[in-house]
Amino acid sequence: MKLNDGFLNSMHEAIALLRTRGPVEATEAIQRALRGDSSGVTAGAAAQEAVTVPRVGKPATASATSVARESGVDVEERSHFDTLSYANAAGRRQYRLYVPASAAGEPRPLIVMLHGCTQDADDFAAGTRMNVLAERHGCLVAYPVQPQQANPSRCWNWFKPGDQQRERGEPSLIAGITREIITTHDVDPARVYIAGMSAGGAMAAIMIDEYPELYAAAGVHSGLPARCAHDLPSALAAMKGAEPSGRMSRNVSAGAARRPMIVFHGDADRTVHVTNAARILRGFETKAHHDCEKRGQRVASRACSVMRLTTGDDVEAELWTIHGASHAWAGGDARGTYTDPAGPDASAEMLRFFLDHPRST
């Protein structure tokens, strides 16, 4: 085959897609090239998407993206989305790590993203578009992967007592991955955050509760409170909206207000009942309540409301209730599973909240 410019461009596209969207999209790009079809998204276009998303929260601290655009350098080609692994006494977990081209050479924020059941790192990255936002703001993003050997549906085991405690089970693995990245990359330890969807959201609630010295804030989407269940039957009851009782209820209340949290939940969620969202934020008191504001990132077609909360120690939280939304990541990309493109942009709002809440102590 003669390697014309179109074919070479398609190969560059495949490389960019492999790093930013996953192997499925990269394979499709290669197949288009072999057919001589150049109608797909080019690598340059993918890079342009990565550097032109609207700003949220604090602006990026470096001008690497603007320099790249002016010089014609593909930003995504200089970024990395690598597969790594971490092991300790609790086992081994792979994780994907996105290292942006922007803001190199100075301490950067780190966001640890925990996928939901049946998902994996590439699926979650595509659906949340967090890598695109991370490129804009110079953040690293880690995606620990729950294998099928640990749970048949690849759920994080948030309902098992052995996976709910500091330095044991899955929390120790997630914390170990976080510490490894802080050690091996130039990460600002005051700007390390954790977020998750569904089972991953429930595990994120456990992580912020058990490791307040490691994570500055947490984001929980369609998740559940820490330690609201102790086995599969109690997990199913909690997902249906049953109130935790006894020891579990006291634990949830006792640890809920340690760090800032932002919580999203659809009020038509039939997988995890919306009452869990408010339970995550027990210990916070309502400070303000209003309808969602359109911030300009995306025009959301779903109505939603926001409660801004605080504690006596001025720890802040936000609760976003999305009206008519099911069990899906609000404002997500349809290329990922369990996404709702019609919703407000949860990823942008989480990142805005995170960057506004560095760890002070």
Side-chain angles (χ1 to χ4, degrees), residues 90-116:
R92 178 182 296 274
R93 291 294 183 275
Q94 285 192 335
Y95 64 96
R96 296 273 272 160
L97 178 63
Y98 184 81
V99 181
S102 59
E106 62 181 54
R108 294 175 286 190
L110 167 64
I111 305 168
V112 179
M113 298 284 288
L114 303 178
H115 63 75

Side-chain angles (χ1 to χ4, degrees), residues 164 209-210 226-228 245-256 258:
Q164 297 173 339
D209 201 25
E210 293 294 313
R227 294 179 301 278
C228 65
S245 61
R247 176 180 57 84
M248 291 185 293
S249 180
R250 288 194 296 272
N251 283 346
V252 171
S253 298
R258 293 180 181 177

Side-chain angles (χ1 to χ4, degrees), residues 227-277:
R227 294 179 301 278
C228 65
H230 62 277
D231 56 15
L232 188 56
S234 59
L236 294 173
M239 291 169 65
K240 296 301 181 184
E243 176 74 26
S245 61
R247 176 180 57 84
M248 291 185 293
S249 180
R250 288 194 296 272
N251 283 346
V252 171
S253 298
R258 293 180 181 177
R259 289 295 179 198
M261 298 186 73
I262 182 169
V263 175
F264 292 81
H265 215 116
D267 62 11
D269 190 334
R270 296 184 179 180
T271 302
V272 177
H273 198 275
V274 67
T275 53
N276 285 286

Side-chain angles (χ1 to χ4, degrees), residues 114-130:
L114 303 178
H115 63 75
C117 299
T118 74
Q119 295 181 313
D120 59 23
D122 290 326
D123 181 6
F124 201 39
T128 61
R129 299 177 69 252
M130 192 59 81

Side-chain angles (χ1 to χ4, degrees), residues 59 72 257 315 335:
V315 179
R335 291 179 295 112

